[in-house]
Amino acid sequence: MTGTQQLPSVDDVRTALKDVYDPEIKKPITDLGMVKDVAIGDDGVVDVGIYLTVAGCPLKATLTADTKKAVSKLPGVADVRVELDVMSDEQRTELRKSLRGDAAEPVIPFAQPGSMTRVYCVASGKGGVGKSSVTVNLAVAMAERGLSVGVVDADIYGHSVPRMLGAREKPTKVDTMIMPPQAHGVKVISIGMFTPGNAPVVWRGPMLHRALQQFLADVFWGDLDILLLDLPPGTGDIAISVAQLIPNAEILVVTTPQQAAAEVAERAGAIAMQTRQRVAGVIENMSWLETPTGERIEVFGAGGGQTVADSLSKSVGSTVPLLGQVPLDPRLREQGDEGTPIVLSDPEAPASLVLKDAAKQLSVRARGLAGMMLNVSPAGR
Ligand SMILES: Nc1ncnc2c1ncn2[C@@H]1O[C@H](COP(=O)(O)OP(=O)(O)OP(=O)(O)O)[C@@H](O)[C@H]1O
Ligand SMILES: [Mg+2]
């Protein structure tokens, strides 16, 4: 050994590596079997071998940089060299088992008793009312509040969520687990990520059900506080599937102020009665356009959101709140097209304030069993 500086031991280096987290799985690489080997040279140069879960892992640069940072903090380290390798199929299976258990059939974590994740299905009667826009803005606003948030684009035909969130990466697969890409701190998965280009997907009911089940069971979501599902418009197969797959999922209804849209939205909410799901609230979108002089033009009429909330309250027998009225704002569309939701790009815009407030209302009842509908039926049913 040269110099007076004491060299770190292999154990020291392994301890330092506990601070390096796999960017996708969000657990220390030391817990995931990802540290292949550690060697310390007499010159203070440390070689660390890291197993990537999959070849071409999109986050390998992050992993390399984090490893270098953690190890170079140790006294006596002159340099850190990281060599990447890829896990074998056996290692991946081990990893999957350690993360997911050894169940033969993948289970939906959110449907398990005691699940702490709140699941919101964003639904509407009509298309084009802003469901996807509301979903992505709520998601990033909740993530900004420090919650761990996932979004499922369950609109098999539309799949606009990844674009609106700017999630350009493809999901990676580790054994049978799908790792969702992340954007603005939100995990997102969409059927659009599994179809080449913009090819239209024509799926029948049972396939939709299977696809949704896969999204929910095979994707490694980690511990989520909130899961938002962007449902296709109408009271179609998918809404029923969600109710079957996650009985605790709550419905969030989006409508425009237009009375006709409100009536259709009511019907979408009424599905909750059949499936005995809780209705978390109503968001009215495209409520008005504010002129530079501060005048409000009610482009699509007025009152739709309150009408839906009142009518749903009556039919479910408990208060369904109108969580907010989101004004029309060209920035909301533009930022959506660019992949930065308006609550991030223009946090002080009136539309952003309303969306952030709705996100707050939907976040406050934090993880816990309070207020959850118990999955029991009265005797004799
Ligand atoms: N408050 C708003 N101000 C301005 N534009 C909006 C607003 N809300 C939504 N839009 C725009 O309206 C269009 C439809 O919105 P979005 O795609 O979110 O609706 P959707 O209900 O998910 O539609 P689909 O039924 O097709 O899935 C988009 O171009 C979006 O950018
Ligand atoms: Mg949509």
Side-chain angles (χ1 to χ4, degrees):
M1 197 178 92
T2 54
T4 50
Q5 183 72 280
Q6 185 90 32
L7 288 176
S9 68
V10 171
D11 277 351
D12 293 337
V13 174
R14 285 189 176 268
T15 306
L17 288 172
K18 283 186 186 159
D19 293 337
V20 180
Y21 279 59
D22 178 87
E24 281 178 316
I25 306 175
K26 307 245 183 272
K27 290 195 171 167
I29 57 170
T30 44
D31 289 356
L32 300 172
M34 290 172 66
V35 181
K36 183 183 178 187
D37 44 33
V38 171
I40 295 147
D42 287 343
D43 49 1
V45 175
V46 179
D47 285 291
V48 183
I50 301 277
Y51 283 121
L52 298 174
T53 49
V54 284
C57 169
L59 299 163
K60 57 186 172 194
T62 315
L63 203 52
T64 305
D66 290 353
T67 301
K68 285 191 175 184
K69 198 167 151 214
V71 176
S72 52
K73 275 191 198 142
L74 291 171
V77 172
D79 196 9
V80 185
R81 292 188 299 219
V82 178
E83 196 176 69
L84 300 173
D85 197 349
V86 179
M87 283 187 172
S88 65
D89 286 346
E90 289 73 27
Q91 284 170 311
R92 269 193 286 272
T93 305
E94 276 311 306
L95 174 62
R96 195 249 311 150
K97 283 184 188 166
S98 77
L99 291 171
R100 302 288 304 259
D102 202 6
E105 270 294 303
V107 294
I108 298 176
F110 319 110
Q112 301 310 302
S115 163
M116 293 296 179
T117 308
R118 290 194 70 178
V119 182
Y120 292 113
C121 298
V122 186
S124 74
K126 251 176 56 148
V129 298
K131 242 176 317 89
S132 303
S133 307
V134 166
T135 305
V136 299
N137 276 288
L138 289 178
V140 294
M142 287 167 166
E144 275 217 307
R145 301 180 62 81
L147 299 180
S148 162
V149 184
V151 178
V152 170
D153 187 357
D155 187 348
I156 310 283
Y157 304 102
H159 53 74
S160 46
V161 167
R163 179 178 47 81
M164 288 184 175
L165 273 173
R168 282 177 203 90
E169 276 156 17
K170 293 261 167 199
T172 46
K173 257 190 119 178
V174 176
D175 195 43
T176 54
M177 259 182 334
I178 300 168
M179 297 299 183
Q182 296 191 37
H184 308 299
V186 171
K187 292 180 181 162
V188 55
I189 206 90
S190 160
I191 191 79
M193 294 169 176
F194 299 90
T195 53
N198 264 338
V201 190
V202 183
W203 295 37
R204 281 188 293 275
M207 290 166 77
L208 287 177
H209 188 87
R210 173 75 198 114
L212 189 60
Q213 180 172 34
Q214 193 178 24
F215 279 176
L216 296 167
D218 292 349
V219 171
F220 181 74
W221 294 102
D223 282 331
L224 288 187
D225 294 303
I226 306 270
L227 180 72
L228 293 160
L229 289 105
D230 183 16
L231 298 190
T235 52
D237 296 344
I238 277 278
I240 305 280
S241 283
V242 173
Q244 286 170 354
L245 294 168
I246 322 174
N248 280 329
E250 299 171 37
I251 311 270
L252 179 63
V253 178
V254 180
T255 183
T256 62
Q258 209 169 351
Q259 292 301 332
E263 279 160 32
V264 200
E266 252 169 63
R267 278 204 293 272
I271 216 175
M273 258 85 71
Q274 292 166 30
T275 56
R276 277 180 284 144
Q277 287 173 290
R278 195 175 162 271
V279 184
V282 177
I283 294 187
E284 185 185 272
N285 186 32
M286 311 189 180
S287 297
W288 53 76
L289 182 70
E290 203 166 301
T291 62
T293 53
E295 196 194 337
R296 287 180 178 182
I297 305 174
E298 290 172 334
V299 181
F300 295 114
Q306 195 60 56
T307 305
V308 180
D310 291 346
S311 152
L312 287 173
S313 301
K314 219 176 278 162
S315 40
V316 300
S318 62
T319 309
V320 173
L322 175 61
L323 297 166
Q325 294 176 285
V326 185
L328 279 162
D329 188 332
R331 287 174 290 181
L332 194 147
R333 180 185 51 75
E334 287 156 17
Q335 310 295 359
D337 288 347
E338 280 160 26
T340 309
I342 190 169
V343 296
L344 293 181
S345 60
D346 291 280
E348 296 307 318
S352 300
L353 297 177
V354 176
L355 286 159
K356 284 195 285 186
D357 183 61
K360 183 177 164 195
Q361 295 178 64
L362 294 166
S363 310
V364 278
R365 207 145 48 80
R367 305 203 311 175
L369 294 172
M372 261 196 189
M373 214 188 228
L374 293 176
N375 216 0
V376 289
S377 313
R381 262 183 91 163

